């Protein structure tokens, strides 16, 4: 027997429709390429996204067509998000920080018909090797003089102007229709496309907005530093519309000074991004002695959050919320939020506890397994591969036969523990673990401990080849500006926290470390350059 | 093109499964009929609800069967909620405060196969006129000696003991399957059944848990004063499982002293109920000078919240959250939570503003219309009938051809304004209704019964303001010429046909009643003249 409740599909268009109707005047502010602030609101952004949707239909975009974006976090990118998905096309967000070859591969694989593109990436377009000669570009800028020599070029604002304004309704799609596409960028080889649906996106937005996630309300001013091309900016553009929050879009400048100005000026209460960004903000705030009086909560993901970053913000009254997820998981699957038994945790306990990666949100599930796929105990000690599943977890890649599933679960490739209370801790990427004399060493744990040593700005540990042990840890340190770090003392510090045989064989002081396009430490690059350092120079180890 | 995300149905069983797995030790406390506290947690309540589910299957309950409850807010009632819906049967919650004829009608209409019943309602069962001779009763008590003379009687705890414990999985149902059934009690004639689905229940739980609704988190201790037989206790038993909150179930005693003790003892942070209950709590707190140091938020619904109640709690740091909904709407559709432009409202502004009925939650929509169904402006002045729709709004009644819809919207029968910011205010309920202590009394029913009394020419009942109950019925009688009616006998007559608390507080003999041009009783005029009669002259009531 069926229930007798109204039935309408869970659609992305319903999110912005709700915001436009019920939070019409709530601001959306966006930093333009020229540094000026564009001030808008949900009503206007909705109106513009409807004009854009109609322009896309006029231009021949059909449901199921892939329409790409190569863009920063701006109001136009948010409008394009809603316009593309709203008409049943698929919003394919491309990370502009990827190598040219990867971008070409991705666009060719997705068979994009049209690309929304920032003016600054137009030269990049000329260098790509694309199959689709009929590709159109839409330049996301006021400046309509920018033209490609190879592709049909349209101007975003001109497109909108060519549409007759007036009442128009979003089409009624099916909730399982594909809505957006994002390629994983972390691994070697061909990037794989994750194809989100309207349903998965809306359910994920609910989960992200809940009090034990980002806790978004209409009173919030939300600044997603995490890019819109990065797993849907952790769902923030959708969750903000769902709750009618103010949205602050930082454009392309994410340095500490720029962020600090925006956070203050726009009275931002919640922000989210990768640890590297917060380190930049901390450097700026320490230098200028500024404070951020409105900021209440800070989401951290994409990489393990170092304790000093947690400490800095928590000690200033900002609640730090580390989380875990990946492109394949929409992305948010776990977040660090206390359970009932922890509601009276002391500040000191809380700091240490925050170095974990979170507990599962309703709508998803997780477990750790051994190499044979057998579930391991949740005792905080057993290390296994993290398996996840849920409404917003992918079950297959786009046009790719390689299944990410094992027995119905997504095998994440991350190694983790889960403690008795259900808090997960990533110990390493499976491929970053160091196998020394047959025993596993967690590079991540060593990095976390090293980063708590005075004067350390950033730390990285890789597996270096070793003639006797197979692999041994090699530690890279980026000292804070003007600080001279004593290697002996640093190693002593490490030895106080880990087994003696975990202590790295060598410490290398460097000015900077390589990062991937998504801001993660590029250990692959480090391993390529330094992987045989202990073999080449064994004596001075 | 379909998305490539995992697809599993939104099921009620997934809520308690999540809570049992990830918030196993989070407490559920429940006040037993004998006044003792039963201390449990999500793991145990889940285990017991699984045992109960298997007992129901053993007993022959099939998917789609209606299984009723006549029970207070206890752990057993929560277990029954999950057990019944979890196996695909339909949890039919019955309001024990209805009068016997209505309860009989409802049970016969629903064709309940089994009723979970508090020991104290067993005598009531003997008086009902039920069609189903094969009906079984399950007495929700430790005491297994209670037996019905007419029906097969089982004991709740004995049922559980008869099931072999061990691993068992909830069946995979469809998310649009019916999950529960609640009859409206407001109107005249046959009560109408609202048939919720798993999907509507889970989506409603998301909406209820959001920061701008009750804002439920795992750190909360939640006490639903609103009964589980009242539109699913506003979704709290589901939302609490979703977020892993502590659940405090007050049993049958809802007086101020009992509530105050529970609120303090169980460190309750969020509670929800009708204004009458809060007035009782205030009376107690004012008398004893106690304070409730843990209480943060207080949901109010079921009737307009009087300003003094709002003031009392807000001035003590408890955020009051008036909301609006009805059985047909799961029930929560609007809640009073500030929008972005109001995030710096002064305390004084906030108090006045809180007398409204709320803004719409994402997932639902509303408008006001004139008598022709034309939408009226949202200017805070135009008064029209409130129309709502959404994922958790009913589109038809159970086994009833009378459609509640008008052009795709639920016509609520409530009159309201909506201001420019989107805040709705109920101005006038469905004209005839009296809301006494959060429960509906039908004036039309009283009038019909009164008019059957010898010597009555015409009868009218209006809602008169009452300090404690909110409203109470006031009965006007026009005697037939020359007849002298005995008020005591008239009230006795009424009492034979309706619940005792429906009996009017006062009877006024009048020579004639005002009528509209079309010959209908002009109750608006009566209310204007006599609406505060019980306040002006409370003594001779």
């Amino acid at each position: 027997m069926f229930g007798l409740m109204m039935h309408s599909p869970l659609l992305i268009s319903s999110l912005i429709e709700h915001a436009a109707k019920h939070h019409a005047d709530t601001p959306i502010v966006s930093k333009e390429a020229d540094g000026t602030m564009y001030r808008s609101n949900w009503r206007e952004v909705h109106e513009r996204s409807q004009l854009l949707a109609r322009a896309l239909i006029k231009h021949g975009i059909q449901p199921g067509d892939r329409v790409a974006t190569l863009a920063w976090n701006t109001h136009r990118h948010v409008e394009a998000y809603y316009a593309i998905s709203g008409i049943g096309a698929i919003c394919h967000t491309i990370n502009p920080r990827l190598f040219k070859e990867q971008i070409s591969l991705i666009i060719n694989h997705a068979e994009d018909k049209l690309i929304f593109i920032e003016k600054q990436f137009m030269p990049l377009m000329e260098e790509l090797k694309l199959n689709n000669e009929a590709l159109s570009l839409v330049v996301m800028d006021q400046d309509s003089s920018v033209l490609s020599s190879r592709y049909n070029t349209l101007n975003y604002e001109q497109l909108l102007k060519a549409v007759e304004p007036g009442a128009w309704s979003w089409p009624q799609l099916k909730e399982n229709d594909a809505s957006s596409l994002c390629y994983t960028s972390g691994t070697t080889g061909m990037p794989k496309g994750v194809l989100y649906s309207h349903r998965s996106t809306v359910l994920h937005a609910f989960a992200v907005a809940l009090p034990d996630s980002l806790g978004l309300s209409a009173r919030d001013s939300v600044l997603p530093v995490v890019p819109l091309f990065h797993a849907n900016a952790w769902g923030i553009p959708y969750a903000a519309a769902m709750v009618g929050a103010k949205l602050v879009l930082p454009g392309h400048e994410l340095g500490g000074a720029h962020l600090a100005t925006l956070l203050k000026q726009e009275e931002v209460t919640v922000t989210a991004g990768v640890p590297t960004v917060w380190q930049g903000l901390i450097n700026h705030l320490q230098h200028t002695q500024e404070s951020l009086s409105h900021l209440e909560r800070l989401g951290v993901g994409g990489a393990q959050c170092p304790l000093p970053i947690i400490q800095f913000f928590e000690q200033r009254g900002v609640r730090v919320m580390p989380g875990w997820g990946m492109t394949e998981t929409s992305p948010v699957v776990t977040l660090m939020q206390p359970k009932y038994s922890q509601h009276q945790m002391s500040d000191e306990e809380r700091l240490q506890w925050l170095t974990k990666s979170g507990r599962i949100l309703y709508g998803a599930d997780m477990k750790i397994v051994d190499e044979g796929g057998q579930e391991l105990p949740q005792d905080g000690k057993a290390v296994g591969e993290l398996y996840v599943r849920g409404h917003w977890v992918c079950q297959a890649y786009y046009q790719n036969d390689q299944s990410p599933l094992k027995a119905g679960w997504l095998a994440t490739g991350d190694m983790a523990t889960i403690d008795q209370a259900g808090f997960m801790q990533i110990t390493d990427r499976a491929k970053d673990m160091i196998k020394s004399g047959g025993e596993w060493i967690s590079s991540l744990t060593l990095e976390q401990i090293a980063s708590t040593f005075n004067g350390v700005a950033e730390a990285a540990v890789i597996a270096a080849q070793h003639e006797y042990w197979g692999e041994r840890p090699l530690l890279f340190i980026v000292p804070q500006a003007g600080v001279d770090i004593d290697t002996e003392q640093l190693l002593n510090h490490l030895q106080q926290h880990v087994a003696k045989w975990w202590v790295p064989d060598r410490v290398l002081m460097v000015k900077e470390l390589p990062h991937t396009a998504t801001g993660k430490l590029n250990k692959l690059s480090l391993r390529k350059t330094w992987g045989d350092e202990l073999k080449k120079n064994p004596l001075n180890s």
Side-chain angles (χ1 to χ4, degrees), chain A:
Chain A
M1 189 185 300
F2 288 130
L4 291 171
M5 308 307 279
M6 292 184 185
H7 201 287
S8 57
L10 296 166
L11 296 183
I12 287 174
S13 57
S14 73
L15 294 164
I16 194 164
E17 252 182 338
H18 171 83
K21 183 168 177 190
H22 303 291
H23 301 274
D25 299 330
T26 296
I28 294 184
V29 300
S30 178
K31 203 164 181 184
E32 296 265 36
D34 64 5
T36 59
M37 293 303 288
Y38 176 88
R39 298 198 167 270
S40 185
N41 57 41
W42 281 110
R43 177 179 43 231
E44 287 169 19
V45 165
H46 180 239
E47 277 168 10
R48 283 167 56 90
S49 87
Q50 284 207 330
L51 292 177
L52 185 59
R54 293 161 66 193
L56 288 172
I57 291 171
K58 248 171 70 174
H59 193 77
I61 299 298
Q62 303 276 334
D65 283 351
R66 276 74 64 207
V67 175
T69 64
L70 257 169
W72 303 118
N73 289 10
T74 68
H75 67 289
R76 291 194 188 91
H77 202 172
V78 170
E79 289 159 10
Y81 252 53
Y82 283 103
I84 299 167
S85 300
I87 61 167
I90 294 162
C91 180
H92 170 206
T93 52
I94 303 173
N95 182 347
R97 295 180 188 137
L98 296 176
F99 301 118
K100 289 192 298 267
E101 290 74 11
Q102 278 185 308
I103 295 179
S104 300
L105 270 173
I106 285 174
I107 293 174
N108 288 334
H109 187 263
E111 300 178 276
D112 294 317
K113 287 207 169 168
L114 186 147
I115 302 181
F116 285 95
I117 184 167
E118 303 276 359
K119 186 174 159 182
Q120 76 170 100
F121 298 134
M122 286 299 279
L124 169 72
M125 278 309 297
E126 308 294 318
E127 300 175 39
L128 300 179
K129 290 179 184 154
L130 304 183
N131 301 337
N132 181 8
E133 299 287 332
L135 182 72
S136 293
L137 304 181
V138 178
V139 183
M140 303 168 94
D141 203 279
Q142 288 287 356
D143 178 1
S144 62
S145 70
V146 187
L147 290 175
S148 162
S149 66
R150 296 173 55 192
Y151 305 105
N152 176 33
T153 315
L154 306 159
N155 175 271
Y156 191 99
E157 297 299 331
Q158 298 296 322
L159 266 186
L160 298 198
K161 277 182 196 147
V163 179
E164 198 70 42
W168 183 80
S169 296
W170 295 104
Q172 278 294 300
L173 311 169
K174 294 196 173 68
E175 69 182 31
N176 290 314
D177 282 347
S179 60
S180 34
L181 176 65
C182 186
Y183 282 77
T184 61
S185 53
T187 54
T188 53
M190 175 59 201
K192 296 185 282 290
V194 179
L195 193 66
Y196 308 102
S197 71
H198 286 262
R199 176 181 166 105
S200 73
T201 303
V202 172
L203 292 177
H204 180 257
F206 268 123
V208 163
L210 285 178
D212 277 348
S213 299
L214 298 184
L216 297 182
S217 85
R219 285 150 295 154
D220 279 315
S221 170
V222 192
L223 191 160
V225 182
V226 50
L228 270 75
F229 54 74
H230 207 174
N232 310 313
W234 303 351
I236 290 173
Y238 303 117
M242 175 179 271
V243 306
K246 172 177 173 179
L247 199 50
V248 182
L249 299 157
H252 69 287
E253 289 177 313
L254 305 178
H258 286 287
L259 285 183
T261 302
L262 269 185
L263 290 167
K264 277 185 297 182
Q265 182 180 291
E266 302 304 331
E267 303 186 349
V268 170
T269 55
V270 193
T271 182
V274 294
T276 314
V277 159
W278 306 133
Q279 190 56 59
L281 178 62
I282 290 174
N283 293 347
H284 172 80
L285 294 175
Q286 283 179 328
H287 184 70
T288 60
Q289 298 291 308
E290 290 170 61
S291 66
L292 301 171
S293 55
H294 292 90
L295 193 63
E296 296 169 9
R297 284 158 286 155
L298 184 126
V300 194
Q304 183 69 33
C305 189
L307 187 57
I309 293 181
I310 296 171
Q311 276 172 325
F312 180 89
F313 287 105
E314 286 269 328
Q315 284 164 358
R316 283 158 183 80
V318 178
R319 209 146 54 84
V320 178
M321 305 174 297
W324 177 89
M326 53 203 299
T327 304
E328 285 88 338
T329 64
S330 293
V332 188
V333 167
T334 68
L335 260 168
M336 283 307 288
Q337 292 281 10
K339 292 169 73 174
Y340 190 75
S341 58
Q342 298 162 315
H343 70 296
Q344 289 170 322
M345 207 169 1
S346 74
D347 290 350
E348 196 49 47
E349 286 170 322
R350 181 171 159 83
L351 284 182
Q352 283 305 319
W353 169 83
L354 277 173
T355 58
K356 299 202 169 191
S357 315
R359 60 177 166 85
I360 201 85
L361 305 181
Y362 168 78
D365 201 0
M366 67 179 173
K367 63 178 180 182
I368 49 171
V369 301
D370 65 17
E371 289 178 8
Q374 287 301 303
E375 185 164 358
L376 291 167
Q378 305 198 352
D379 58 7
K381 291 173 194 154
V383 176
E385 186 178 358
L386 182 67
Y387 277 26
V388 300
R389 66 180 177 191
H391 295 293
W392 47 88
V393 175
C394 84
Q395 60 173 349
Y397 291 113
Y398 178 65
Q399 303 279 38
N400 186 322
D401 290 338
Q402 190 183 333
S403 173
L405 301 195
K406 286 186 181 158
W409 294 73
L410 177 81
T412 67
D414 274 356
M415 303 301 283
T417 60
I418 303 177
D419 67 21
Q420 284 179 314
F423 289 90
M424 188 267 287
Q425 181 151 34
I426 298 291
T427 57
D428 232 336
R429 282 298 291 172
K431 61 183 167 21
D432 292 334
M433 296 282 286
I434 300 154
K435 200 149 201 180
S436 174
E439 297 287 342
W440 289 111
I441 296 173
S442 162
S443 63
L444 205 55
T445 304
L446 290 173
E447 286 161 8
Q448 282 166 349
I449 296 165
S451 68
T452 63
F453 190 73
N454 261 347
V456 170
E458 193 175 11
V461 173
I462 62 160
Q465 301 301 313
H466 192 280
E467 287 200 345
Y468 181 71
W469 295 109
E471 291 177 352
R472 288 295 302 156
L474 188 62
L475 171 59
F476 298 83
I477 293 288
V478 181
Q480 287 168 7
V483 176
D484 207 9
I485 289 176
D486 183 316
T487 303
E488 280 302 311
Q489 287 180 6
L490 171 61
L491 290 174
N492 279 340
H493 171 73
L494 282 161
Q495 202 161 326
Q496 285 164 33
H497 294 84
V498 297
K500 196 174 175 188
W501 59 276
W502 274 43
V503 175
D505 284 27
R506 196 170 303 167
V507 184
L508 296 163
M509 297 293 164
V510 292
K511 281 194 182 157
E512 61 178 0
L513 288 165
H515 290 88
T516 68
T518 56
K520 291 178 187 170
L521 265 176
N522 190 339
K523 293 205 185 175
L524 189 64
S525 156
L526 279 177
R527 276 199 300 269
K528 273 187 184 159
T529 313
W530 298 95
D532 55 359
E533 173 66 7
L534 296 180
K535 282 186 173 172
K536 281 197 299 191
N537 302 301
L539 287 178
N540 57 343
S541 72

